[in-house]
Amino acid sequence: MADKVFTTRATASGGREGHVKSDNGIIDVGLAMPSGDDIPSDSANPEQLFAAGYAACFDGAYNLMASKDKEDVETETEAAVSLLKDPSDDGFQLGVQLNVEVKGVDQAKAEDLLDKAHNFCPYSKATRGNIDVSLNVTAK
């Protein structure tokens, strides 16, 4: 295993109808299973938590790649995480669509940075070959 930079922890109990709390207490939320796209307003679900982490990580990776290319950009990244039926085992799987809006570069450069970020981002590395991830970037 590579040299560890840091470790963080979260503890869940009760599964999708339970509770999750991070080691520093910042994340401390009840969990509830959505009914279709109807997401309860007083709780979260694992897909939202994954989406938040992936969006933040990818946005950071995008900005780092821009900085390395000496580009001054402003970005906003949305991760749309879907829970999908998995016909191979009658269970479920995840799918992700990353949508990045970027100011400061043209569309061609925005796409170049998108590819670089996807190759660098730890979440993208972790999901590569495991789940479908689609990428969209719009230069503003």
Side-chain angles (χ1 to χ4, degrees):
M1 182 181 258
D3 292 340
K4 191 182 305 182
V5 176
F6 76 93
T7 300
T8 189
R9 291 174 176 75
T11 303
S13 60
R16 288 184 163 273
E17 297 293 332
H19 193 89
V20 66
K21 185 174 182 179
S22 63
D23 54 357
N24 68 354
I26 295 296
I27 298 171
D28 189 355
V29 296
L31 301 172
M33 181 67 176
S35 177
D37 284 334
D38 184 23
I39 299 171
S41 62
D42 62 346
S43 56
N45 61 65
E47 292 72 32
Q48 287 174 313
L49 299 171
F50 184 77
Y54 203 164
C57 188
F58 196 88
D59 198 65
Y62 194 100
N63 280 275
L64 179 61
M65 296 301 101
S67 176
K68 287 184 175 197
D69 279 6
K70 299 186 180 7
E71 299 289 352
D72 185 20
V73 298
E74 292 180 34
T75 59
E76 183 173 280
T77 300
E78 174 195 63
V81 175
S82 298
L83 186 64
L84 308 167
K85 293 275 190 174
D86 186 349
S88 70
D89 65 0
D90 203 29
F92 301 96
Q93 61 188 15
L94 295 178
V96 177
Q97 181 174 332
L98 292 172
N99 301 306
V100 180
E101 289 186 359
V102 58
K103 294 178 184 173
V105 293
D106 64 19
Q107 186 66 29
K109 185 62 181 180
E111 291 171 9
D112 175 58
L113 292 170
L114 185 77
D115 290 338
K116 290 176 179 178
H118 191 50
N119 286 320
F120 183 82
C121 174
Y123 275 68
S124 291
K125 289 177 182 179
T127 60
R128 190 167 291 120
N130 297 314
I131 65 173
D132 289 333
V133 177
S134 63
L135 304 170
N136 298 302
V137 65
T138 304
K140 297 268 181 175

